[in-house]
Amino acid sequence: MAAPYSISDLARELDITTRAIRFYEEQGMLSPERRGQERIYSGKDKVTLKLILRGKRIGFSLAECKELIELYDPVHGNRKQLETFMHKIAERRSQLQQQLLDIEQMQLELDTAEERCLSALAETDKKQGITA
């Protein structure tokens, strides 16, 4: 079993703030032991934090991360968790594909606006007798 971690140990090791760790604790995603005022985090807490951070990096909401973590069942296997994860990956991929299409459309609109501005500037310069 992994050695226990203090909040500062976890923050340093995972490169996050202690405030972020306390936030995840407030959300019910971590449950450290208490020794007086001191929080003692387990290896399981560290793994949970890593999963939260990975989920956030790929665009999952905190609720989605929590759902996936709660689906883990070491006794009966994690098939449901993996199937749910695959479904969420497909959804996220679809969202990203739509965002890419939206960005490409915006770029085309910017190109058109820029061309019109350049044309209008050239026309203005021509009317005023300005040469480049």
Side-chain angles (χ1 to χ4, degrees):
M1 181 169 180
Y5 301 90
S6 70
I7 193 168
S8 56
D9 291 339
L10 274 182
R12 187 173 36 260
E13 196 167 323
L14 299 176
D15 196 26
I16 59 175
T17 65
T18 57
R19 177 68 196 114
I21 295 171
R22 285 191 296 271
F23 173 77
Y24 297 132
E25 185 181 339
E26 290 166 8
Q27 298 303 307
M29 300 180 78
L30 301 172
S31 50
E33 281 183 46
R34 295 285 191 153
R35 289 189 194 144
Q37 293 291 340
E38 187 180 14
R39 294 171 167 91
I40 307 297
Y41 295 88
S42 67
K44 181 182 178 214
D45 290 319
K46 180 180 174 184
V47 169
T48 298
L49 267 173
K50 283 182 172 182
L51 292 172
I52 292 167
L53 297 173
R54 184 176 300 140
K56 297 297 284 176
R57 269 195 314 274
I58 59 176
F60 289 170
S61 69
L62 194 55
E64 289 172 315
C65 293
K66 187 174 185 177
E67 176 188 357
L68 288 167
I69 291 165
E70 288 173 350
L71 285 172
Y72 179 69
D73 184 354
V75 175
H76 299 100
N78 57 353
R79 183 172 187 79
K80 178 70 174 160
Q81 181 191 42
L82 293 171
E83 288 172 345
T84 303
F85 189 36
M86 290 295 293
H87 177 73
K88 289 190 179 301
I89 288 171
E91 284 179 345
R92 183 67 183 136
R93 197 179 299 274
S94 176
Q95 290 169 350
L96 289 172
Q97 186 60 43
Q98 184 58 53
Q99 287 176 332
L100 278 172
L101 292 172
D102 292 345
I103 289 168
E104 289 170 356
Q105 183 61 40
M106 248 189 267
Q107 287 176 323
L108 288 173
E109 290 177 22
L110 287 170
D111 290 346
T112 301
E114 182 180 41
E115 287 172 16
R116 287 180 180 162
C117 285
L118 289 171
S119 178
L121 283 170
E123 188 64 31
T124 301
D125 289 348
K126 184 177 175 183
K127 286 180 181 176
Q128 293 178 355
I130 301 172
T131 58

